[in-house]
Amino acid sequence: QECLAPYGDDWESALSAVAARSEACAARVAKLSQNDFYRLSRALEIELDREAGGGSVEARRPVLGSDFDVRCAFLAPADRTALYHAIDERCDIMLARGLLEETANLRAAGRLPSSSTAARAIGYRQALDYLEARVSGEADASLESYVAFCRQFRTASRNYAAEQLKWYRRDATFAIVPAGDDAALATLLDLDRGAYDAFLSSDAQAAARNDLAGDPK
C-alpha cells in the first residue's frame, strides 16, 4: 500500500491513478467497492509485477511436481475446550484494545463500507451490527446489549475455528500432528517420501482425523 500513500484517503484520485496504468487494470479496479483500498493496492501490485515482466505474483509461484517434496501438517489442539477458552480471551483482548472504537472510526471515515471484505470479517461484522443497532435504536446502551454483542463475537470466532478443524479433517494431504509435539513433527519430516505417504493413509492418521470431528463449541 506504500504506492498509494501519496493519495491518502482520496479514493477517486487513487482509483484513477491505478486504472490509468492499463486497460486490464482499469477493468479490474472498476468492480471495486468504494474505499476498498486493500483490493486497490492488490490490483496495483499485480499490475506493477506485470509491467516488470513477472506476469503476476501467482504466475511466479512454482508448479509443484517431482522436483518438490511438499509436506503439510495440521497442528491439532489437544484440548478443544482450552482452545475455545483461548479464543474467548482473544476476543476480550481485541475489545479491550478498542475494536469498537476502531470500527466506528473506520466507518465514519468511509474506510469500512458494508460491501467490503473487511466489513464481513469476524470482529468487524459483529461490531458493525452492534453499532448500527445502537444508532437505529434496535439496541440500547445497556450492559445486556453489550454482553449479547460480545457473545455473538465469541461464538462466531469459535465457529470459525471449528470449521477450520473440519477443513483439515477432510484434506488428506495434511498430516495431523498434536500441537506442541515437536518430536512428532520432526519425525514426520525425517521420513522418506514413501514412508510419509504411507503414514498419511495409516490407521493412526484416520483416527487422528476422526478426533477432529464433532466437538461441541
Side-chain angles (χ1 to χ4, degrees):
Q1 299 184 7
E2 294 180 0
C3 295
L4 298 178
Y7 301 100
D9 293 333
D10 188 344
W11 169 254
E12 294 300 332
S13 295
L15 181 66
S16 297
V18 175
R21 302 196 74 93
S22 72
E23 291 184 5
C25 196
R28 187 178 296 116
V29 301
K31 303 175 183 179
L32 297 182
S33 301
Q34 181 81 12
N35 291 329
D36 192 347
F37 281 91
Y38 173 80
R39 291 184 181 274
L40 183 64
S41 176
R42 176 62 180 146
L44 178 58
E45 177 187 348
I46 293 173
E47 177 62 19
L48 291 174
D49 188 75
R50 185 195 65 78
E51 293 174 3
S56 70
V57 174
E58 288 80 5
R60 293 203 313 273
R61 291 174 179 164
V63 177
L64 300 182
S66 59
D67 292 337
F68 296 88
D69 182 0
V70 179
R71 305 184 182 198
C72 306
F74 173 64
L75 305 182
D79 187 336
R80 206 75 57 82
T81 300
L83 170 65
Y84 293 140
H85 283 321
I87 291 172
D88 286 347
E89 291 175 3
R90 178 59 181 166
C91 291
D92 292 342
I93 290 172
M94 292 174 67
L95 290 168
R97 290 180 177 177
L99 174 62
L100 282 174
E101 292 82 358
E102 176 186 336
T103 304
N105 291 336
L106 287 171
R107 173 52 68 90
R111 298 294 296 272
L112 194 62
S114 298
S115 58
S116 67
T117 301
R120 295 191 293 271
I122 294 173
Y124 279 146
R125 183 169 71 245
Q126 289 75 31
L128 283 171
D129 288 345
Y130 172 67
L131 292 171
E132 290 173 353
R134 288 282 303 276
V135 171
S136 68
E138 294 179 20
D140 55 29
S142 67
L143 178 61
E144 289 78 6
S145 293
Y146 179 74
V147 169
F149 150 66
C150 293
R151 286 175 176 166
Q152 291 172 354
F153 179 26
R154 287 177 166 188
T155 298
S157 299
R158 292 195 301 270
N159 286 343
Y160 186 72
E163 286 300 314
Q164 287 180 317
L165 295 177
K166 293 178 183 178
W167 297 340
Y168 289 110
R169 178 174 181 261
R170 292 192 296 262
D171 193 337
T173 64
F174 277 79
I176 309 301
V177 179
D181 192 340
D182 295 339
L185 186 59
T187 298
L188 184 70
L189 297 176
D190 285 340
L191 295 174
D192 63 47
R193 186 67 209 192
Y196 172 77
D197 289 337
F199 174 77
L200 288 179
S201 58
S202 67
D203 291 340
Q205 277 294 284
R209 293 185 188 285
N210 287 335
D211 287 343
L212 296 180
D215 210 72
K217 301 179 286 299

